[in-house]
Amino acid sequence: MRTYLIVLLSFLVLPLFVSAQSSSDSDPDKKFNDLIENATHIDGFLSFYQKDGKLFLAITEDQLDNDFLLNYKVARGIGAAGLYGGTMLNIFEAEIVALEKRENKIFLVNKPHRYVAEEGTPQARAVDITYGTSVLETAEIAATNSDGVMLIDAYNWFVGDLSDISTRVQRAVSNRPGQPGRATFDRGRSYVEMVESFPKNSNVQVKLTFRNQETSAPRTVADHRFIPVSIFYSIAELPEEPMKPRMADDRLGYFMTVHKDFTDTTDDFFQRYINRWRLECDGPAGSDGLCEPKKPITYYLENTIPERYRQPMMEGIEAWSVAFEEAGFRNAVRAKMLPDTVSAGDIRYATLRWNVSDQSGYGAIGPSVVDPRTGEILDSDQLYEANMFVNYRNTFRNFVDPQTAITEIYDVSAEELEAMSMGIKTESFFTEMGTQANLLRASMLAAGLMKPGDALPDEFVDEATRWVTMHEVGHTLGLRHNFRSSTDTPLDRLHDKSFTAENGVFSSVMDYPSPNISANGHDHGHFYNPGVGSYDRWVISYGYTPDDDKAKEIARRAAEPGHAYGTDEDARGASAIDPDINVYSLSDDPLAWGRDRADMIRGMLPMLPEIAVNDNMPYYEVTDLFQSAFFQYARALAPTVKYIGGQYQYRDHVGDPNGRMPFEAIPLEKQQEALQTIIDYAFAADAIDLPQEVFQQFGANRWSHWGQSNTYSGRIDYPLHRTLLGVQTSLLSQLLNPTRLERIRDTEVRFGSENTVTIPEMMGTVTEAIWSEAWRAPGSDINSNRRDLQRAHLDGMIQLITDAPSGTPADARAVARYTLQDLHERLERRLTPPTYNFDIYTRAHLVESKERIERALRAGLSLEN
């Protein structure tokens, strides 16, 4: 009976179930509508429905398999450790993605775009089967309505690690250098913050939480156990009609979009396009030869920027219009305030934004979003750190060791060079701008133009703000750094305002300059460029002229005065061989300018207490001013090393008007002058003469709380010996660097040994200068800093003969041995009766040094045998 009833009920219920199912099948909109009921609809480039912890994405058939851009930014970071709000995670190369339908699922796929071939060719088929897409995310199709619109829940796409931000978070919490920290994504503490959609792009912002398994985190994190990072995803359409690309040229500095094109096998495969905005004439040119652009390049200042800086920033933006006149456009670049009703997330608006990070990481930065197919710049969002501008006010605070001013030029990692080549500012830029402001403040105080505690004059603040803005805007116009441009200005014209108004203090605002400070503090010219320079006008004319043939001719003008160019890899690291390509130097004679700057700083040393403090001010202001000024002192000496074993390098092509050879010799007298400069300003006994009564007024910072450091390299009192020796040993180690020693030998062959400071000359001259107190009879007492320097010199020379770094030429080892033997004989004579009445420090030092050389010579000889 029970079985009978169950069977009967099944017959009764089955028609109802089938009827309901048929009803559902005949009305596909019902499930769709049920899912989006009471949801917030965000319509635009993409259509979203948001409700109850779900984020539905509505996809039409014609959106499938269409390419679009996906870009990531840190919307809100932690103000430290590389996690700064507003910074892009994939600078320049946004990802080309597409939505694909497979097995009732929607796949978000990332497409390779660097490898191409002409459509329809056999090579194109080969590319297609060689380079596959990466599946980033997938979701089940939840419903499809009668119009064919598919609904998926994309919540977990965005509330996840799609951007790979976890890698940066792990670096931020790491306690082990070179190794990632332990931090895992915590989905339960993460959520969608905002969804917005515009005609050309849609954005999703999420707050992600990472559970920190380390014992600490940057101090800016409220609770070290949970690291919060907000990610801003921007999904944008690609231009329907790709822009006609402009081929790059190595004589000018543009960021590039590079493809490996397999269609033509007669070349090196690479197709290099410059990054630039699409700029077209709106009608014929006027009588002045200029046309109005169809769509000007317009930058919008966010209302987060303090009113104090808005006017000079707008002037910095619009200064670029002069350069575009060279390309045939009138009023091509414009500045406006971003209306309060407009979101900075709308890709139609390029913005300048303000950042208030706790621990500065860049000072200012100007990244862009670029079409990976053509190099067309589609959007840019520049960031300016408040901390950098605060340094223009009235503080001497600087915690960076002056030695860094040299080491960061030569000891640069490949990763840092790559970042800088993309226009990414490092923390050193922030430090530099602060110490530059301090140096100007000190010079004006010494000249009686300011009183201790006064803020810098508006003239300087405006010029610095205008230049920084021009520089960052230049990056967003597609331009790379130009660190040679300072050599386009003669040393004796630096303070000639009529010259610098037309040509610039440096010929490109894409340089990293030093402020143009006169030695007497009074008769100064422009501190920074008042507008764009001659190089800027030339490079813009190449990139933005509508005529491709004209552009080719423009590129051939590299040897003209005012067109000097050298960029990141030319100025820093192992390839930095040209003393004319420097960061933070001025004039066509960096050597003479560096000495002038160093002399100005040395002249300030006896005046430090007088110019740093006033009544009721803390003594640590004196200490901090010395630290800051000595940093700039080291910075002024940094280029001198490049003259030794260096060469002038040029980018001219064969047949260019007034073209130069790729490498040209530095005159011998200039090399010798550079070596003597290093000796006089770093190695000589009187190189740094800090009066005792000044050192006695080096006070300690007594503030002790978060955000403050009350020590100098771990010392409450100032480590003067360590600081001085750090700069000296940095210069010395660069002179003895294996690559430099190799280059010296190569330049002997290329230009002749008679035109080169040879290894024996360099080692002999440096050794005699450093050991001058013991070099000739009868000798003299050696002070503590000199003893430290001499020990450091022995360390470097002994290493060459006992444990030479890889790449050290055998000739350098042999000369080092010969030089140490000569030094040993001299020390032995100084210590052989009758001797000078050396003090105990000196005698002990000389005895120890002689014995160290003896052991090294024996050890080195046995190793060679």
Side-chain angles (χ1 to χ4, degrees):
M1 184 66 175
R2 182 177 300 166
T3 303
Y4 173 78
L5 288 174
I6 291 173
V7 173
L8 180 61
L9 285 172
S10 358
F11 277 106
L12 292 172
V13 172
L14 184 60
L16 295 175
F17 174 77
V18 172
S19 174
Q21 187 178 40
S22 301
S23 173
S24 175
D25 290 341
S26 63
D27 187 10
D29 294 329
K30 186 176 187 307
K31 185 175 182 182
F32 189 102
N33 293 335
D34 287 345
L35 288 173
I36 64 173
E37 186 178 4
N38 299 322
T40 301
H41 185 203
I42 304 102
D43 199 17
F45 175 64
L46 293 178
S47 183
F48 292 94
Y49 295 90
Q50 184 180 12
K51 74 167 186 178
D52 301 335
K54 294 185 180 297
L55 183 63
F56 291 110
L57 173 61
I59 304 166
T60 61
E61 286 286 344
D62 58 5
Q63 289 175 317
L64 294 175
D65 304 315
N66 281 345
D67 294 344
F68 55 91
L69 290 176
L70 176 61
N71 196 45
Y72 314 109
K73 293 180 188 176
V74 177
R76 187 181 299 107
I78 60 175
L83 294 171
Y84 301 103
T87 53
M88 288 186 179
L89 297 181
N90 46 353
I91 292 180
F92 296 137
E93 286 199 359
E95 295 176 353
I96 292 185
V97 298
L99 296 170
E100 296 180 353
K101 182 181 178 182
R102 301 280 190 275
E103 300 174 348
N104 202 43
K105 296 179 183 178
I106 297 295
F107 290 79
L108 177 67
V109 298
N110 189 351
K111 293 189 170 183
H113 57 263
R114 291 182 171 179
Y115 307 99
V116 299
E118 185 178 336
E119 191 174 350
T121 63
Q123 293 95 325
R125 291 191 291 272
V127 168
D128 185 56
I129 65 174
T130 304
Y131 303 101
T133 61
S134 297
V135 176
L136 300 179
E137 292 288 355
T138 183
E140 297 278 351
I141 298 175
T144 304
N145 68 13
S146 56
D147 294 325
V149 179
M150 295 160 281
L151 206 63
I152 64 170
D153 186 359
Y155 184 92
N156 287 340
W157 288 12
F158 301 103
V159 183
D161 197 24
L162 179 60
S163 67
D164 193 32
I165 191 62
S166 62
T167 301
R168 295 200 181 195
V169 173
Q170 289 163 359
R171 285 202 298 263
V173 301
S174 174
N175 295 317
R176 300 171 297 279
Q179 297 183 34
R182 295 168 298 169
T184 55
F185 175 58
D186 189 336
R187 191 179 298 276
R189 288 180 170 85
S190 305
Y191 54 88
V192 173
E193 290 186 306
M194 177 272 295
V195 183
E196 58 184 0
S197 211
F198 307 101
K200 293 182 178 293
N201 71 295
S202 299
N203 306 317
V204 177
Q205 181 171 312
V206 299
K207 181 168 184 176
L208 307 179
T209 297
F210 290 84
R211 184 182 288 273
N212 181 18
Q213 297 163 23
E214 303 291 347
T215 56
S216 64
R219 67 177 184 230
T220 53
V221 179
D223 187 319
H224 81 275
R225 297 171 298 173
F226 306 106
I227 311 297
V229 182
S230 292
I231 298 297
F232 184 87
Y233 303 93
S234 184
I235 306 158
E237 73 172 5
L238 285 163
E240 185 175 349
E241 181 181 345
M243 179 188 74
K244 181 183 179 183
R246 171 66 42 82
M247 302 304 294
D249 192 289
D250 63 357
R251 288 165 289 195
L252 312 96
Y254 274 92
F255 296 123
M256 295 184 295
T257 293
V258 180
H259 296 160
K260 195 166 189 179
D261 191 336
F262 292 93
T263 306
D264 186 357
T265 58
T266 62
D267 203 352
D268 64 356
F269 294 106
F270 288 107
Q271 294 288 336
R272 305 174 180 93
Y273 306 144
I274 67 170
N275 292 352
R276 61 172 182 162
W277 294 88
R278 187 187 300 230
L279 200 63
E280 301 167 334
C281 286
D282 188 18
S287 58
D288 58 358
L290 304 179
C291 71
E292 292 285 341
K294 283 183 181 178
K295 183 182 179 183
I297 304 169
T298 305
Y299 293 93
Y300 295 86
L301 277 67
E302 266 196 340
N303 60 13
T304 54
I305 297 174
E307 293 184 8
R308 165 66 184 86
Y309 303 107
R310 291 179 186 178
Q311 184 59 35
M313 292 179 86
M314 285 192 165
E315 292 170 358
I317 294 169
E318 296 190 337
W320 278 102
S321 279
V322 174
F324 279 84
E325 291 177 2
E326 300 278 331
F329 293 94
R330 185 190 304 110
N331 300 321
V333 182
R334 302 176 188 179
K336 296 181 179 180
M337 288 301 300
L338 186 69
D340 291 339
T341 56
V342 172
S343 168
D346 191 333
I347 200 172
R348 294 172 297 176
Y349 298 89
T351 60
L352 284 72
R353 312 175 73 179
W354 200 251
N355 186 292
V356 289
S357 57
D358 174 58
Q359 302 165 33
S360 293
Y362 49 84
I365 188 171
S368 303
V369 176
V370 175
D371 183 344
R373 302 171 302 175
T374 63
E376 179 182 358
I377 299 173
L378 304 174
D379 186 27
S380 74
D381 292 296
Q382 302 164 43
L383 290 174
Y384 296 83
E385 284 192 313
N387 289 326
M388 184 175 68
F389 293 86
V390 169
N391 274 341
Y392 295 160
R393 294 167 61 187
N394 57 5
T395 177
F396 290 124
R397 301 305 288 148
N398 173 37
F399 297 108
V400 178
D401 192 323
Q403 179 180 6
T404 308
I406 296 169
T407 57
E408 72 180 14
I409 302 300
Y410 300 103
D411 301 332
V412 185
S413 67
E415 294 77 14
E416 187 174 358
L417 267 180
E418 182 180 3
M420 290 187 298
S421 72
M422 295 189 292
I424 299 175
K425 299 292 184 295
T426 60
E427 186 178 350
S428 66
F429 181 78
F430 160 77
T431 300
E432 179 66 28
M433 294 302 290
T435 56
Q436 286 182 7
N438 288 344
L439 184 62
L440 174 62
R441 185 181 296 111
S443 72
M444 299 188 76
L445 287 165
L449 301 176
M450 290 175 55
K451 296 179 181 179
D454 286 352
L456 282 171
D458 288 346
E459 177 188 6
F460 173 80
V461 175
D462 287 347
E463 283 194 31
T465 302
R466 194 179 299 114
W467 167 70
V468 168
T469 305
M470 287 189 290
H471 183 95
E472 299 310 328
V473 169
H475 280 320
T476 67
L477 294 172
L479 304 188
R480 288 194 66 184
H481 289 134
N482 180 0
F483 297 142
R484 196 188 201 118
S485 78
S486 55
T487 61
D488 276 327
T489 300
L491 181 63
D492 61 358
R493 303 296 295 273
L494 281 175
H495 299 291
D496 181 348
K497 282 194 171 183
S498 62
F499 177 89
T500 56
E502 173 64 23
N503 302 285
V505 179
F506 29 96
S507 67
S508 175
V509 298
M510 304 314 298
D511 209 334
Y512 277 2
S514 185
N516 187 25
I517 305 171
S518 64
N520 61 20
H522 291 272
D523 304 321
H524 66 80
H526 294 105
F527 295 116
Y528 296 99
N529 269 20
V532 296
S534 52
Y535 167 85
D536 301 318
R537 296 192 290 271
W538 174 55
V539 72
I540 288 294
S541 69
Y542 169 80
Y544 285 88
T545 180
D547 189 333
D548 287 339
D549 291 332
K550 184 178 179 180
K552 293 177 182 177
E553 291 304 313
I554 290 171
R556 306 208 69 175
R557 295 164 50 197
E560 288 185 13
H563 293 174
Y565 172 60
T567 192
D568 297 271
E569 58 269 22
D570 303 324
R572 292 176 170 172
S575 59
I577 64 172
D578 190 330
D580 278 353
I581 307 176
N582 302 299
V583 290
Y584 313 123
S585 71
L586 293 177
S587 91
D588 61 347
D589 192 344
L591 200 53
W593 175 85
R595 286 196 300 270
D596 288 348
R597 177 59 57 88
D599 283 337
M600 180 182 75
I601 295 170
R602 287 204 293 196
M604 290 178 184
L605 297 184
M607 307 170 62
L608 288 179
E610 177 186 343
I611 64 180
V613 293
N614 211 337
D615 183 49
N616 203 32
M617 293 179 67
Y619 278 105
Y620 69 72
E621 294 281 358
V622 183
T623 325
D624 292 348
L625 177 54
F626 174 80
Q627 178 90 335
S628 193
F630 196 52
F631 182 94
Q632 284 295 317
Y633 184 90
R635 186 73 89 192
L637 297 181
T640 56
V641 181
K642 295 180 184 178
Y643 288 87
I644 312 303
Q647 304 165 62
Y648 295 122
Q649 63 181 66
Y650 300 102
R651 294 169 174 259
D652 307 348
H653 289 190
V654 177
D656 283 355
N658 303 311
R660 298 150 296 192
M661 295 297 289
F663 296 97
E664 293 185 357
I666 298 169
L668 176 62
E669 57 272 19
K670 209 67 179 174
Q671 300 175 46
Q672 293 170 334
E673 181 186 344
L675 188 58
Q676 192 60 46
T677 296
I678 295 172
I679 290 170
D680 292 344
Y681 288 82
F683 297 161
D686 60 350
I688 305 295
D689 186 16
L690 182 68
Q692 189 178 61
E693 61 272 16
V694 172
F695 188 34
Q696 289 171 355
Q697 297 187 63
F698 276 24
N701 178 6
R702 305 311 300 157
W703 292 114
S704 182
H705 58 78
W706 72 267
Q708 286 285 320
S709 172
N710 61 3
T711 69
Y712 300 90
S713 301
R715 291 257 304 266
I716 193 70
D717 57 331
Y718 190 76
L720 183 64
H721 283 86
R722 188 191 309 168
T723 303
L724 298 179
L725 184 63
V727 171
Q728 292 168 322
T729 53
S730 291
L731 290 168
L732 182 61
S733 67
Q734 291 307 321
L735 289 174
L736 300 180
N737 181 277
T739 302
R740 191 167 310 282
L741 297 172
E742 281 187 308
R743 285 201 178 112
I744 291 175
R745 294 207 316 155
D746 289 342
T747 54
E748 289 180 31
V749 174
R750 180 175 293 203
F751 305 119
S753 58
E754 69 278 9
N755 298 313
T756 303
V757 169
T758 63
I759 293 175
E761 182 180 354
M762 184 269 287
M763 286 188 178
T765 302
V766 168
T767 302
E768 179 179 354
I770 290 177
W771 290 89
S772 60
E773 297 92 338
W775 198 254
R776 291 181 177 85
S780 62
D781 289 334
I782 307 171
N783 68 35
S784 54
N785 175 244
R786 295 281 291 167
R787 296 195 298 269
D788 288 347
L789 175 58
Q790 289 165 5
R791 292 184 184 105
H793 174 260
L794 279 187
D795 290 342
M797 296 292 282
I798 288 173
Q799 183 184 26
L800 287 177
I801 65 173
T802 61
D803 188 22
S806 175
T808 302
D811 278 345
R813 297 199 304 271
V815 173
R817 169 178 289 279
Y818 175 85
T819 304
L820 285 178
Q821 286 174 331
D822 180 46
L823 177 59
H824 178 268
E825 291 172 5
R826 293 175 185 273
L827 297 183
E828 198 165 45
R829 288 198 293 270
R830 296 298 84 77
L831 292 167
T832 301
T835 65
Y836 179 82
N837 188 25
F838 294 117
D839 63 30
I840 297 299
Y841 271 127
T842 301
R843 180 171 290 279
H845 167 64
L846 294 178
V847 169
E848 180 191 55
S849 298
K850 183 175 77 72
E851 292 178 355
R852 285 189 65 198
I853 295 173
E854 291 171 358
R855 291 197 302 270
L857 292 174
R858 289 195 300 269
L861 190 60
S862 63
L863 287 172
E864 290 170 10
N865 291 337

